[in-house]
Amino acid sequence: MKGRTIILDHIQGREAAALMVDGKLDDFLIAGDAPAPGTIYRARADRPVKGQGGMFLSTPDGPAFLRQVKGLAPGEQLLVQVTGYAEPGKAIPVTTKLLFKSRYAIVTPTAPGLNISRSIRDEDERDRLLEIAHEEMDASDHGLILRSCCAGAGAGDIAEDIAAMAGLATQVLDDPGTGPEMLTEGDTPHALAWRDWTDPAEIVTEPGGFETHSVLDALDQVRGISEPLPGGGHLYIQPTRALVAVDVNTGSDTSLAAGQKANFACAKVLPRALRVRGLGGQITLELAPMPKKDRRGFEASLRAAFKADSEETTLAGWTPLGHFELQRKRGRVPVAEVLK
């Protein structure tokens, strides 16, 4: 099965979305029990954490943690937005830099100015988009970013998105309420699929789509720890409380170049393997043996693979024991935790 297919369905009573590319599961979103990233609260400051330079906040869904706080006193109220999923037993991570994001537009109340995605390079197209942006944002103090999928999109669709996000931002910022309260919920998996999977694709919405398009079979592998590598070998991906451990296994290949081949295959496969499993946080790679002279090439391959990934990932580098470490945003709910 060639091409891209987006399947919107439910599994175990949870809303979910799958992206299949050439018959292989390339991305998967599922609703969790915790507040979704993008949720906005009116929160109350509780107590500072001096050693970490942060503040614990009260929200209707439990404690939240705000980093790098200055001039905030206990008892004060403020607007915050959920940035990711909390580790078990920890507070919800939040920020005061609110974003109102849709398919075409991101409204940024704390960052004024009109901006267009740098991936849109055609000057005539940029001028067209700037004209739309000025027309829609003329009376607004909010900032605006027009996303890459605006290229070639209809002016009416873009203008509608801008107006909706600008209106929502004004509604939230002007809310007259007091006390901790949820003001907006984060996007559901179906809404996220519409928002972020913007390349042309067949859309399947009929119930049972996961079964008929082999998503359920793919999820059986995702819930396990083994991920096959092209040309043989496997990754073994095991989340622990402290980190995600990834072991590169060369399989039956016993040649001198087996380690190098498996490690470079790992670099290409790893972003998708983490994405479909919903894994983030600290990730430690136990690589197969290879000469130190190949490390720079491995890093370049890894960096290129993560460049197109949807979650922010920082390549931290090599440890004295020869492991490679990454730090990945916890922007997804771990699939194995909700599909038990």
Side-chain angles (χ1 to χ4, degrees):
M1 182 173 60
K2 297 293 184 181
R4 294 168 60 89
T5 306
I6 295 172
I7 305 102
L8 308 179
D9 203 352
H10 289 74
I11 183 171
Q12 295 184 7
R14 297 176 183 270
E15 184 176 306
L19 173 63
M20 301 291 285
V21 177
D22 296 336
K24 188 177 182 66
L25 183 64
D26 190 73
D27 206 345
F28 185 72
L29 303 166
I30 187 167
D33 298 321
T39 299
I40 297 177
Y41 298 110
R42 186 191 312 107
R44 182 182 64 243
D46 276 352
R47 58 184 176 87
V49 185
K50 295 181 180 179
Q52 299 181 36
M55 177 79 77
F56 280 109
L57 314 175
S58 289
T59 78
D61 292 318
F65 185 70
L66 178 64
R67 295 184 182 277
Q68 300 177 336
V69 173
K70 290 185 179 180
L72 182 64
E76 290 187 41
Q77 297 189 67
L78 67 163
L79 298 180
V80 294
Q81 187 168 41
V82 178
T83 58
Y85 286 97
E87 299 175 61
K90 294 192 176 181
I92 304 166
V94 295
T95 179
T96 56
K97 297 178 180 179
L98 308 185
L99 297 177
F100 296 85
K101 184 184 290 189
S102 191
R103 185 179 179 94
Y104 298 112
I106 304 174
V107 169
T108 58
T110 58
L114 304 181
N115 299 279
I116 298 172
S117 169
R118 285 179 292 182
S119 66
I120 301 176
R121 298 179 180 178
D122 183 87
E123 289 302 322
D124 289 338
E125 183 66 359
R126 293 182 69 87
D127 289 343
R128 179 183 80 96
L129 296 175
L130 272 178
E131 185 177 339
I132 298 170
H134 279 291
E135 185 174 337
E136 291 298 320
M137 299 293 290
D138 184 53
S140 176
D141 295 327
H142 304 320
L144 173 70
I145 301 169
L146 291 183
R147 305 181 71 193
S148 59
C149 61
C150 287
D157 292 335
I158 298 171
E160 183 179 342
D161 240 17
I162 295 172
M165 292 300 98
L168 180 59
T170 299
Q171 177 185 330
V172 168
L173 295 175
D174 293 346
D175 188 276
T178 59
E181 182 183 353
M182 179 191 289
L183 300 180
T184 66
E185 292 188 74
D187 285 333
T188 65
H190 291 182
L192 279 174
W194 172 81
R195 191 187 83 183
D196 292 339
W197 298 345
T198 57
D199 289 341
E202 176 190 358
I203 311 296
V204 177
T205 59
E206 294 81 7
F210 282 171
E211 183 174 3
T212 57
H213 287 79
S214 302
V215 176
L216 297 182
D217 293 337
L219 289 175
D220 286 339
Q221 178 179 309
V222 165
R223 283 183 280 189
I225 66 170
S226 177
E227 179 74 28
L229 291 174
H234 286 80
L235 299 183
Y236 292 96
I237 304 170
Q238 294 183 282
T240 72
R241 185 171 178 84
L243 50 81
V244 177
V246 180
D247 179 63
V248 181
N249 187 286
T250 60
S252 60
D253 190 346
T254 58
S255 67
L256 290 176
Q260 180 201 43
K261 289 190 292 185
N263 291 339
F264 277 73
C266 163
K268 294 180 180 179
V269 167
L270 187 62
R272 176 200 159 272
L274 295 174
R275 187 169 61 242
V276 297
R277 287 170 172 80
L279 296 177
Q282 182 180 330
I283 298 159
T284 299
L285 308 183
E286 169 67 50
L287 296 168
M290 71 176 178
K292 283 190 175 181
K293 64 182 177 65
D294 292 325
R295 285 185 173 185
R296 183 171 294 181
F298 170 79
E299 287 184 59
S301 181
L302 196 64
R303 186 172 290 106
F306 275 108
K307 187 175 182 180
D309 193 51
S310 56
E311 297 296 342
E312 181 181 346
T313 302
T314 300
L315 306 189
W318 300 92
T319 73
L321 291 177
H323 299 144
F324 193 86
E325 294 184 330
L326 308 92
Q327 186 69 34
R328 183 173 172 84
K329 181 180 176 182
R330 296 179 184 274
R332 305 284 184 88
V333 57
V335 171
E337 286 186 10
V338 296
L339 296 182
K340 295 179 179 178

